[in-house]
Amino acid sequence: MNVNSSATMMSNDVAEGSIRSSGEQQPPPAPTLSRYESQKRRDWNTFGQYLKNQRPPVSVSQCNCNHVLEFLQYLDQFGKTKVHLQGCVFFGQPDPPAPCTCPLKQAWGSLDALIGRLRAAYEEHGGSPESNPFANGSIRMYLRKVKDCQAKARGIPYKKKKKKKKIVNPHKPQEDQLNVHTSNNSVI
């Protein structure tokens, strides 16, 4: 066996997760998580750490929607979205011409996505959907308030995207037109 083939065999063994000289098998590498799963895990760990830092510490099983609301407000200090206050001369302007002293906050969309990930993580960690503090109505109300406040401060309303209606084609057979209710060839 020459040196090159020996080196190739050694690199193949390492790549496959085993080393022949020791005779031990290395455990297979953990599957790589999707970006969403990684972020969800990171968010869950951050929330858990936040609860541990409370005085007195709070366990996840004791956590309620008030802890979640306090967590969302705590996160504002790390925000990067300028939210103009009502007294600011730039209130309602999407692109202010100069800097101001208004606070930076978490963007509504970021908070909304965070709550979605934490809601899923809570149930994945054994919490019941009925007691999920991230699914509480007060959280949805808080997010709606943040969304409205930020929209007014920027002068840009958030508009819900409308679902596109399917057009009924009288020349296609009826089974091709799924999820469309028709009456005299018109969409209801």
Side-chain angles (χ1 to χ4, degrees):
M1 183 186 276
N2 67 29
V3 176
N4 286 342
S5 64
S6 173
T8 303
M9 228 168 79
M10 180 72 165
S11 68
N12 286 344
D13 289 344
V14 171
E16 292 172 7
S18 66
I19 299 176
R20 290 180 190 218
S21 62
S22 69
E24 292 181 30
Q25 283 275 336
Q26 296 289 336
T32 56
L33 298 175
S34 69
R35 183 175 176 204
Y36 171 80
E37 292 296 330
S38 297
Q39 187 66 51
K40 185 168 56 171
R41 177 183 285 178
R42 204 166 29 251
D43 293 339
W44 183 252
N45 292 337
T46 302
F47 182 69
Q49 191 61 50
Y50 171 81
L51 291 177
K52 285 179 190 173
N53 291 338
Q54 297 301 298
R55 295 290 167 240
V58 178
S59 69
V60 174
S61 61
Q62 296 171 326
C63 139
N64 61 40
C65 64
N66 292 327
H67 295 107
V68 176
L69 290 171
E70 290 167 8
F71 177 65
L72 294 176
Q73 292 164 354
Y74 158 79
L75 290 177
D76 269 342
Q77 67 183 310
F78 308 110
K80 297 175 185 169
T81 300
K82 178 76 75 170
V83 179
H84 299 289
L85 303 173
Q86 278 194 316
C88 178
V89 295
F90 302 128
F91 183 80
Q93 293 184 26
D95 297 311
C100 67
T101 60
C102 292
L104 293 173
K105 296 190 174 212
Q106 289 289 336
W108 164 78
S110 299
L111 293 177
D112 188 48
L114 170 70
I115 289 298
R117 290 188 300 268
L118 289 173
R119 184 177 183 172
Y122 180 84
E123 293 176 17
E124 287 174 10
H125 285 86
S128 73
E130 295 79 27
S131 65
N132 191 333
F134 303 100
N136 189 285
S138 61
I139 305 300
R140 286 191 300 276
M141 286 176 48
Y142 176 78
L143 290 174
R144 189 174 306 123
K145 180 181 149 196
V146 169
K147 176 181 168 182
D148 294 343
C149 175
Q150 290 184 5
K152 287 177 187 171
R154 294 180 61 221
I156 301 172
Y158 288 103
K159 292 184 179 177
K160 202 172 196 177
K161 293 181 180 177
K162 294 182 180 178
K163 293 181 182 177
K164 294 181 181 177
K165 292 183 180 178
K166 292 187 178 183
I167 300 172
V168 176
N169 186 341
H171 302 293
K172 281 190 174 182
Q174 194 65 20
E175 66 260 6
D176 288 350
Q177 300 172 19
L178 299 175
N179 299 325
V180 177
H181 300 289
T182 59
S183 173
N184 297 332
N185 292 334
S186 62
V187 176
I188 296 178

